[in-house]
Amino acid sequence: MDTKRLRFSSTSDVEFFKTLNQRVSDYFATNNITRFGDARMVIKTLIMLAIYLVPFILMLNGTITSIWAVLLAWGVMGLGMSGIGMSVMHDANHGSYSKNKRVNQFIGYIMNMIGGHDKMWRLKHNVLHHTYTNIDGADEDIEMGSLFRFSPNQERQGMHRYQHIYAWPLYSLMSLLFATYADFSRLVRYKKKGVIRSESEFKKLLWDVSLWKVAYYMVFMVLPMLIAPISPWLIVLGFLIMHLVCGFLLSAIFQAAHVMPECEFPEPDEKGRIDAAWAVHQLRTTTNFAPKSRLFSWFIGGLNYQVEHHLFSNICHIHYPNLSKIVRRTAEEYGIPYKVEGNFVQALRSHGRLLRNLGKSDQLVYS
């Protein structure tokens, strides 16, 4: 789908987002606080980096050598990797970690330390997913080739009858795909789509992505093989475990926000028009979950407040719990749905139910 053709309504529900923006601005002005992060983000960054790097250092210097301890250490690194991805680099690459652009850029580079690439992530996530949420052919987060059917607008195949079963182990591969070929395949695809607009930009990105991938594997695979008193096969196995842990957590969090029975999957008309304003579209296609789980919310960077994140991705996630009260009240005043699941387990069950239904039926039904 040519995303250049897509247009959101500029006439419907215009007052909703104007009112919401004003109320959010008033919240920050009244409380005399910045919309960016503060010391809490610095502390969180140090904690997440420690969870990720301390086990690695302990393996390198020989403190951790037994098989089970090594595998556990890699598993803990997977938790740290997912924490970094969701609650540190995520804000930085949205420009909301700090009001200083250089700080955001520097922290955003942490994405490259966990196997991804900051610029490619911004193109995929900030540009495509946040703009065209749940629109088939534009939002790559719901596109997995023929392996999954995440939208009722996608073709149903026989194997999709079992996707609610095989999805869960395959979700674990998400992080590993990012660390291997996904960024390279996106480079080619984005050039064809016009997201990458020039040959020089393409070549620069290809070179940059390649260098960062080499550096990542040199540090986290080759280096421990050279200096850690650990068998190479155990390092490879541990590396895989780290990515499987991270991949499952990331996939589960993001799927529970958009691929849900309550979410809509709008289709543009033949002229590329969508019958809702952008802000209303975000509310229709997004679900919050587990709003009362403070520790859980802290670890995943407030992504359980996905509605607030999509409406105000330029605001640091530490503000989402308070903003959610404003968003919910305003949405209710304007008769716009505000969707929320009580807890994470409930959200995963709902996601599994939608996968099962999409695998069995071609009918587009919203619940």
Side-chain angles (χ1 to χ4, degrees):
M1 179 180 293
D2 183 3
T3 57
K4 295 178 182 178
R5 295 181 63 247
L6 295 176
R7 295 290 184 273
F8 293 97
S9 173
S10 59
T11 57
S12 62
D13 298 300
V14 174
E15 291 303 314
F16 163 68
F17 203 41
K18 285 184 179 179
T19 301
L20 181 58
N21 266 317
Q22 186 59 57
R23 289 176 177 176
V24 169
S25 296
D26 290 344
Y27 164 78
F28 286 106
T30 301
N31 292 280
N32 194 28
I33 55 177
T34 175
R35 65 180 178 87
F36 300 101
D38 53 27
R40 287 173 289 178
M41 285 301 294
V42 176
I43 293 170
K44 177 180 284 192
T45 301
L46 294 175
I47 292 173
M48 293 302 179
L49 286 173
I51 296 173
Y52 182 48
L53 294 176
V54 169
F56 185 66
I57 293 171
L58 292 177
M59 286 187 285
L60 289 181
N61 66 21
T63 302
I64 295 177
T65 56
S66 69
I67 293 178
W68 292 111
V70 168
L71 296 181
L72 177 62
W74 283 105
V76 171
M77 287 179 66
L79 290 176
M81 177 187 286
S82 61
I84 288 170
M86 292 183 288
S87 62
V88 177
M89 82 82 196
H90 190 257
D91 283 78
N93 279 314
H94 273 296
S96 62
Y97 185 100
S98 169
K99 63 182 178 181
N100 188 313
K101 291 183 179 180
R102 291 187 178 180
V103 172
N104 285 322
Q105 184 179 29
F106 179 76
I107 298 296
Y109 282 143
I110 295 179
M111 178 64 175
N112 305 4
M113 289 176 52
I114 58 177
H117 187 268
D118 60 304
K119 179 63 181 294
M120 295 305 300
W121 186 88
R122 287 195 298 273
L123 290 174
K124 172 186 179 293
H125 186 77
N126 295 10
V127 177
L128 297 177
H129 172 63
H130 269 264
T131 306
Y132 309 110
T133 313
N134 277 15
I135 298 177
D136 185 38
D139 180 4
E140 291 197 352
D141 279 15
I142 60 168
E143 292 183 25
M144 291 290 177
S146 60
L147 190 59
F148 293 107
R149 186 177 188 235
F150 284 154
S151 165
N153 303 321
Q154 296 168 344
E155 181 182 357
R156 184 170 62 90
Q157 300 188 22
M159 65 180 177
H160 293 151
R161 292 179 62 87
Y162 309 102
Q163 67 176 1
H164 63 289
I165 299 173
Y166 65 70
W168 305 104
L170 291 183
Y171 282 168
S172 299
L173 299 176
M174 173 186 171
S175 176
L176 200 59
L177 293 177
F178 267 102
T180 51
Y181 82 95
D183 283 334
F184 294 104
S185 65
R186 287 194 180 97
L187 265 171
V188 176
R189 187 161 63 252
Y190 292 170
K191 183 183 177 184
K192 291 180 180 178
K193 285 185 174 183
V195 178
I196 297 174
R197 300 182 179 181
S198 67
E199 183 69 24
S200 60
E201 182 185 9
F202 172 79
K203 290 180 179 179
K204 181 180 178 180
L205 272 173
L206 178 60
W207 180 249
D208 200 53
V209 170
S210 300
L211 286 179
W212 276 109
K213 298 293 183 188
V214 170
Y216 173 70
Y217 280 99
M218 289 295 292
V219 171
F220 289 97
M221 284 198 72
V222 176
L223 182 63
M225 286 182 180
L226 292 176
I227 68 175
I230 300 171
S231 173
W233 72 265
L234 190 56
I235 292 172
V236 173
L237 179 59
F239 182 84
L240 292 176
I241 288 174
M242 174 182 69
H243 275 283
L244 293 177
V245 169
C246 179
F248 181 82
L249 288 173
L250 293 178
S251 295
I253 294 299
F254 286 108
Q255 298 294 17
H258 299 290
V259 186
M260 300 288 284
E262 300 84 3
C263 292
E264 298 182 18
F265 299 84
E267 283 188 288
D269 65 18
E270 65 280 358
K271 294 184 178 180
R273 295 174 301 195
I274 299 165
D275 65 351
W278 174 83
V280 175
H281 173 83
Q282 298 306 318
L283 282 156
R284 290 179 177 177
T285 58
T286 308
T287 302
N288 284 0
F289 52 88
K292 296 181 180 179
S293 302
R294 296 181 64 180
L295 180 60
F296 178 64
S297 181
W298 177 87
F299 179 75
I300 67 171
L303 292 179
N304 53 322
Y305 293 99
Q306 194 76 196
V307 170
E308 287 68 34
H309 172 59
H310 268 252
L311 291 173
F312 301 104
S313 60
N314 61 341
I315 296 177
C316 185
H317 74 262
I318 61 176
H319 303 294
Y320 291 168
N322 289 331
L323 293 187
S324 68
K325 301 172 186 177
I326 301 173
V327 174
R328 185 166 194 164
R329 172 166 55 89
T330 308
E332 290 173 351
E333 287 179 13
Y334 282 84
I336 299 170
Y338 184 93
K339 302 162 185 176
V340 59
E341 295 273 356
N343 58 65
F344 187 46
V345 173
Q346 179 180 325
L348 292 182
R349 287 175 178 169
S350 295
H351 171 65
R353 186 170 72 251
L354 179 62
L355 289 182
R356 184 176 64 249
N357 293 340
L358 287 173
K360 293 181 178 180
S361 175
D362 291 323
Q363 190 174 8
L364 193 153
V365 177
Y366 296 131
S367 61

